[in-house]
Amino acid sequence: MAGRVQLSKPNTLWFLSSSSSPLYSLNFRGLHNHNNLNFKNRLHFRPNLVSSSPSRGALYCTCRSPNLSNGEAISDPFVLTTPLYYVNAPPHMGSAYTTIAADAIARFQRLLGKKVIFITGTDEHGEKIATAAAACGSSPSEHCDVISQAYKALWEDLDIAYDKFIRTTASKHEVIVKEFYSRVLANGDIYRADYEGLYCVNCEEYKDEKELLENNCCPMHLKPCVLRKEDNYFFALSKYQKKLEDTLTQNPDFVQPSFRLNEVQGWIKSGLKDFSISRTSVDWGITVPNDVKQTIYVWFDALLGYISALSDEKEQTNLQTALSSGWPASLHLIGKDILRFHAVYWPAMLMSAGLTLPKMVFGHGFLTKDGMKMGKSLGNTLEPNDLVQRFGSDAVRYFFLREVEFGNDGDYSEDRFINIVNAHLANTIGNLLNRTLGLLKKNCQSTLAVDSTIAAEGNAFKDTVEKLVEKARVQYENLSLSSACEAVLEIGNAGNLYMDEHAPWSLFKQGGAASEAAAKDLVIILETMRIIAIALSPIAPRLCFRIYTQLGYSEDQFNAVTWSDTKWGGLKGGQIMAQPKPIFARIEIQKEGEDAVKKK
RNA sequence: GGCGGCGUAGCUCAGCUGGUCAGAGCGGGGAUCUCAUAAGUCCCAGGUCGGAGGUUCGAGUCCUCCCGCCGCCA
């Protein structure tokens, strides 16, 4: 379809024009960063290199909600990781999808009052990095700085509120890797051996001859592999075959979804081979302790980012201190292509070092575009930067979290993207708020007549909303992000139906008792919107913030909400609402030379 | 070749453990309304549940074979 899409600037630049809002504070408390003085506010974004102590008043830390003051033990933190993305290239939509999903899960866990440690970062070692840098005429570290920054910039645009951004070139990471290496060595699981084989530089892997194409070309990169013989260090993975089998049998939830568990069990069953964990031919990386000629292989290095990320900059880095700051991880979120490393190699490494395994590894599916696999050679990649610039963060997040059943593959098409986002965010949610605030302004001077609890007395609608909220909570906890979205949107549908049934605009015209009933109805709908703003905030945080501020709340109040605030009754009589203003501008499609609008 | 997953309305998907033998969202058509972001509400069309057998009183759901797609392994 030839056409142009109008930029949804209102969705991305809302704050810059909102100074007329009487309740929106322009004061920015940049507690942690010197660089954050521009107006473009970031909800729950913090490139936090400085540890902040948990505090009730902290802008984003919710580990101590008021409800935890009754002598409850401090619970374990919820530690969530994305993969550490390889900096051979800027981020693509696949890694953005993983990170968006992780962010939604992290936000939900924070709403529950959990202390969350959300770890992401970049894997910056390896031959490909050195090669890519040389091709650009940069040093590897310069190259890493640029690409790593590109990741951070995209995460900022996508409202990713991570806690720890670890780069494998960080000095603390090296300390952790070396200490871990020594532990595994001391356990007798590293040995030296010759390794000869055909090596693909792009995969950074030795290949079995059988899997290569003619001229020994790698099937993925279509470039000839090089015969290499190296004297390397090996990790005794085969030694852990039985233990891994037992672990997966006894913990069937360790790998999810369940069909991925089957795959992993199949790999193990077919026999595990020791794998090389070092290279002599690669200089860009961490040297093997006591052997400066060998460099640690990227996976043995990178996976430890999940632990080194926990290390506090201020303290002397050591493995034990890092572990005690949040290990074991609660959830590793990964794409299915790296499942073997996370579900087989990593657990075995941890066993060897005598460390606890993470609680769960979740391997989600791939994204396709218009039903086809994405690939540079196909020329149909989906650039996350483009998507977020064109449609805004909320639309991108909402679409992928709603449309892809987590764990399965998912498809993107622009028509469907626009249809779904318009129908749900602009129409169901956005119009409901707009029409209600408009009525409130016209008939009640933008002020709530009664408490929402009083307004809903004897009203079954409140029960409907509470049931759907509970449904959403359960779905979030089960990582069913799509179903959670569905449940929250259903609240919006119920709200629109309620409005039509009660027709408060008609009641206002009648005056008297009818007008009072109408005023109560508006309070009911606005309380519903308040609940939606909380329940949907893990998915579309910026949109939800706009809803919350139009209901008369401040940024601090929004950042302090917990899931328990979805309980009916937050809005009180007398609260003044902001002026009605669309919270999500419809994405318009215009066809060339043709007026596509053909409506009544 | 072996193992596993999938194939349900134009699109994206529910329907798990057999029982009002088919639903939802998006899109489409119609009606209605005008508080509202040309939005809302209501109604409708649209299905050989990949195909063929079988088990059963009854199968989208269980079994067998076949076709197609995807993944892992060889």
Side-chain angles (χ1 to χ4, degrees):
Chain A
M1 175 187 68
R4 291 183 293 112
V5 178
Q6 185 177 341
L7 288 175
S8 57
K9 284 188 179 181
N11 294 326
T12 58
L13 299 177
W14 190 80
F15 289 104
L16 296 182
S17 61
S18 65
S19 58
S20 62
S21 167
L23 295 172
Y24 181 73
S25 171
L26 292 180
N27 293 328
F28 181 83
R29 298 182 294 176
L31 296 177
H32 301 106
N33 298 292
H34 314 302
N35 300 327
N36 274 339
L37 297 179
N38 55 20
F39 272 11
K40 193 169 182 182
N41 213 338
R42 302 165 187 145
L43 301 179
H44 285 304
F45 172 74
R46 46 180 167 142
N48 185 15
L49 299 181
V50 177
S51 173
S52 62
S53 299
S55 160
R56 185 176 298 182
L59 201 59
Y60 10 72
C61 182
T62 56
C63 61
R64 295 283 186 83
S65 80
N67 293 333
L68 285 180
S69 60
N70 296 333
E72 291 183 36
I74 296 172
S75 61
D76 290 338
F78 187 89
V79 181
L80 167 64
T81 70
T82 72
L84 305 192
Y85 299 113
Y86 210 35
V87 293
N88 61 319
H92 56 69
M93 193 60 224
S95 45
Y97 172 60
T98 310
T99 310
I100 288 169
D103 188 65
I105 293 165
R107 286 176 187 270
F108 172 70
Q109 292 292 329
R110 290 192 191 105
L111 283 175
L112 291 183
K114 297 245 185 91
K115 173 179 168 125
V116 172
I117 306 177
F118 173 9
I119 296 168
T120 189
T122 46
D123 174 19
E124 303 185 354
H125 291 139
E127 189 171 9
K128 269 200 289 195
I129 304 306
T131 304
C136 295
S138 332
S139 70
S141 64
E142 286 167 342
H143 175 83
C144 293
D145 288 343
V146 168
I147 303 296
S148 180
Q149 187 53 43
Y151 274 89
K152 286 185 175 182
L154 178 61
W155 299 158
E156 179 178 333
D157 287 345
L158 283 168
D159 297 316
I160 306 298
Y162 56 84
D163 298 296
K164 307 275 191 183
F165 192 101
I166 182 69
R167 297 176 60 179
T168 58
T169 46
S171 58
K172 70 177 184 180
H173 179 72
E174 179 169 345
V175 172
I176 297 293
V177 169
K178 287 185 168 178
E179 192 176 333
F180 185 91
Y181 185 101
S182 299
R183 275 215 191 193
V184 173
L185 178 66
N187 199 43
D189 290 329
I190 295 177
Y191 61 91
R192 190 152 174 169
D194 286 337
Y195 196 90
E196 180 178 5
L198 290 158
Y199 183 81
C200 175
V201 172
N202 291 286
C203 293
E204 305 205 35
E205 278 185 333
Y206 282 88
K207 296 296 185 184
D208 283 338
E209 195 168 353
K210 289 178 282 188
E211 64 183 305
L212 298 181
L213 308 177
E214 59 183 34
N215 292 331
N216 288 330
C217 286
C218 168
M220 290 187 72
H221 300 96
L222 306 182
K223 291 179 179 177
C225 294
V226 181
L227 178 66
R228 282 190 182 182
K229 177 178 178 182
E230 288 187 359
D231 183 19
N232 289 335
Y233 291 100
F234 281 74
F235 173 69
L237 179 66
S238 56
K239 186 175 160 181
Y240 291 91
Q241 170 148 351
K242 182 71 168 88
K243 212 170 173 181
L244 283 169
E245 283 173 338
D246 291 344
T247 296
L248 294 184
T249 301
Q250 290 156 17
N251 300 279
D253 290 339
F254 176 68
V255 176
Q256 289 194 35
S258 62
F259 53 89
R260 305 249 188 257
L261 174 65
N262 292 343
E263 233 169 84
V264 175
Q265 287 175 318
W267 289 333
I268 296 172
K269 191 174 181 179
S270 67
L272 297 178
K273 295 177 185 177
D274 299 349
F275 67 94
S276 169
I277 61 169
S278 74
R279 295 279 186 278
T280 53
S281 54
V282 178
D283 291 329
W284 180 242
I286 297 172
T287 58
V288 168
N290 299 326
D291 191 338
V292 296
K293 291 181 180 178
Q294 299 267 357
T295 304
I296 292 178
Y297 172 57
V298 291
W299 279 106
F300 198 86
D301 164 2
L303 291 164
L304 282 154
Y306 300 138
I307 295 176
S308 63
L310 297 168
S311 183
D312 197 314
E313 291 282 351
K314 290 174 182 175
E315 297 162 344
Q316 180 109 12
T317 303
N318 67 68
L319 183 59
Q320 193 52 52
T321 306
L323 290 164
S324 64
S325 299
W327 196 256
S330 308
L331 173 59
H332 286 324
L333 269 192
I334 59 166
K336 63 184 182 183
D337 55 327
I338 52 176
L339 183 61
R340 184 196 305 269
F341 301 102
H342 286 80
V344 181
Y345 294 5
W346 180 226
M349 285 160 60
L350 291 165
M351 287 171 181
S352 175
L355 303 183
T356 313
L357 304 192
K359 289 168 187 168
M360 188 191 295
V361 176
F362 192 103
H364 65 71
F366 282 169
L367 300 176
T368 54
K369 184 186 179 193
D370 299 316
M372 295 185 296
K373 280 185 179 182
M374 283 186 267
K376 289 179 179 176
S377 56
L378 291 169
N380 68 340
T381 56
L382 193 58
E383 297 300 324
N385 285 287
D386 290 348
L387 284 182
V388 71
Q389 294 311 315
R390 289 170 68 198
F391 302 122
S393 166
D394 290 316
V396 174
R397 290 174 65 114
Y398 182 82
F399 177 79
F400 285 107
L401 296 177
R402 168 65 192 246
E403 278 293 286
V404 183
E405 179 60 41
F406 204 45
N408 294 346
D409 290 349
D411 186 62
Y412 167 91
S413 77
E414 183 163 297
D415 287 351
R416 190 169 174 83
F417 180 100
I418 291 170
N419 285 337
I420 288 292
V421 156
N422 278 343
H424 296 177
L425 301 186
N427 297 349
T428 301
I429 300 295
N431 182 58
L432 178 57
L433 179 64
N434 205 52
R435 74 198 281 208
T436 313
L437 287 180
L439 282 167
L440 193 76
K441 177 181 177 182
K442 183 177 180 181
N443 298 281
C444 305
Q445 294 80 49
S446 293
T447 306
L448 299 189
V450 295
D451 291 357
S452 50
T453 306
I454 295 172
E457 271 174 354
N459 195 322
F461 182 75
K462 165 177 171 284
D463 301 329
T464 296
V465 171
E466 289 186 328
K467 279 174 189 167
L468 287 167
V469 166
E470 175 59 17
K471 183 176 179 181
R473 185 190 64 79
V474 169
Q475 299 291 2
Y476 273 124
E477 290 201 330
N478 291 337
L479 305 183
S480 299
L481 304 176
S482 175
S483 299
C485 290
E486 193 175 305
V488 180
L489 259 291
E490 187 54 33
I491 300 175
N493 290 334
N496 275 300
L497 178 60
Y498 184 94
M499 283 287 269
D500 230 75
E501 285 173 342
H502 286 71
W505 56 89
S506 185
L507 297 180
F508 279 120
K509 289 172 182 173
Q510 297 172 29
S515 189
E516 289 175 15
K520 284 184 177 178
D521 285 337
L522 297 192
V523 174
I524 286 170
I525 295 301
L526 291 169
E527 174 67 1
T528 300
M529 290 306 310
R530 186 190 67 82
I531 291 168
I532 286 173
I534 298 169
L536 199 63
S537 66
I539 307 294
R542 196 175 290 250
L543 178 101
C544 292
F545 171 67
R546 291 197 287 272
I547 296 173
Y548 221 66
T549 53
Q550 289 207 4
L551 297 174
Y553 292 103
S554 70
E555 178 178 353
D556 288 352
Q557 283 172 307
F558 181 69
N559 287 335
V561 297
T562 67
W563 190 265
S564 60
D565 290 316
T566 60
K567 188 85 172 160
W568 192 277
L571 280 176
K572 306 299 181 187
Q575 181 135 334
I576 303 173
M577 306 281 108
Q579 296 303 293
K581 185 179 168 104
I583 54 163
F584 188 91
R586 162 162 309 96
I587 299 166
E588 302 287 343
I589 305 174
Q590 290 173 346
K591 291 185 177 181
E592 292 177 6
E594 179 185 340
D595 185 359
V597 178
K598 187 179 69 167
K599 301 289 185 176
K600 46 202 189 283

